Amino acid sequence: MIYHDWIGVLHQLREKRQSCVLITVLSEQGSVPRDSGSKMIVSQHETWLTIGGGHLEFQCIAQARAMLESGTRAPHTEAFSLGARLGQCCGGRTTLLFEPLLQAQPEIWLFGAGHVGQALVNLLSTLPCHINWVDSRAAQFCHVPPGVVTHQPEDPLDCVAQAPAGSYFIIMTHHHPLDFALCEAVLRRGDFRYAGVIGSATKNQRFRYRLAGKGVESDTLARLRCPIGLPDVKGKLPAEIAVAIAGEIISVYQQTIG
C-alpha cells in the first residue's frame, strides 16, 4: 500500500505502539531528488513515503534503524552531498532531520505452552507487545498467533539470559522444579519489569522460602508475583486464568507509559 499521508501513518504506528524515525528534508541546494518538507517514515521492518530513493535513501534507512536499535531519543540533522561518493549523480546538497519517535513496547517472555499458556498467548498477541513463547516441547506449539516468536531450547534458562533488560517474565511450565529454576534466574538478573509465576499460595510460600535461603534479597522477592494474575478475577478455567494474568500485565505496562 502506498501512503501519501504521513500524519496518518504516524497515527497508525502510535495506535500499534510501534517505534519509528521520521525523516524530513530540511533544505536543498542545487539538483536534489526531493524538495524541502518531503518526508519518509522508517520502522524496524517497514518504510513509508520517500526522500528520493537511491543510495541516499538506503543509507538513511540504515541510519534510522540503527537509531531505533540503540534507543536514541535525540533528533539530529545531517547534510548529504549527492555526488559520486554517495552513489548519486544529482550533484546537489540536502540536509535531513532525523526524529526518533519511540513507543514503549513490552518484551514478554512466556515460559510454558500448556492449556493456560495457549489461552494466554492468544490474548497477549492482540496487545501492542513483543511475545516470545518458550517451551522445549515443540509439539505444544500447535497454534501460534501471528507475530509470536516461539523458542524450543534444550535449556529454557538460556532464554532468560538472552532476554533484554526490562522484560516481562511469565513462568507457567509443566514442571515445578523448572518453574523454580526459571524464577531464581529471573530474580537474580534483577533488571526485569515484571516477574510472575503461576501457582497456589502454598507454592508461593515454598518458592519464597527456598529463594530467600539461596540468598535472593527481600526487596527482589517482594517484586515477584505469585500467585500470578489479578486477584479479583476468579476462576480456574484456562481462559479465566489467562484473563487475570493479561489484566495484570496490562496494568503494569500502562503504569510504565502513563
Side-chain angles (χ1 to χ4, degrees), residues 140-159:
Q140 291 296 112
F141 298 114
C142 54
H143 172 68
V144 180
V148 174
V149 178
T150 61
H151 305 263
Q152 301 94 43
E154 290 186 9
D155 186 355
L157 292 174
D158 293 340
C159 291

Side-chain angles (χ1 to χ4, degrees), residues 148-250:
V148 174
V149 178
T150 61
H151 305 263
Q152 301 94 43
E154 290 186 9
D155 186 355
L157 292 174
D158 293 340
C159 291
V160 175
Q162 75 184 59
S167 290
Y168 292 59
F169 295 94
I170 304 171
I171 301 170
M172 50 175 62
T173 76
H174 60 293
H175 195 44
H176 278 217
L178 178 56
D179 280 356
F180 182 83
L182 289 167
C183 183
E184 181 182 2
V186 170
L187 294 182
R188 290 198 184 281
R189 280 189 53 148
D191 58 357
F192 55 90
R193 180 69 185 87
Y194 173 94
V197 183
I198 197 169
S200 63
T202 300
K203 180 178 179 179
N204 175 42
Q205 292 174 353
R206 288 176 178 173
F207 271 32
R208 291 183 188 277
Y209 178 80
R210 292 180 59 195
L211 289 165
K214 298 189 75 170
V216 177
E217 296 183 356
S218 58
D219 289 348
T220 302
L221 271 176
R223 299 173 59 199
L224 174 65
R225 305 205 181 210
C226 182
I228 195 172
L230 296 174
D232 290 339
V233 181
K234 307 296 184 182
K236 297 183 178 180
L237 295 175
E240 293 170 332
I241 299 171
V243 167
I245 297 170
E248 187 169 77
I249 294 294
I250 292 170

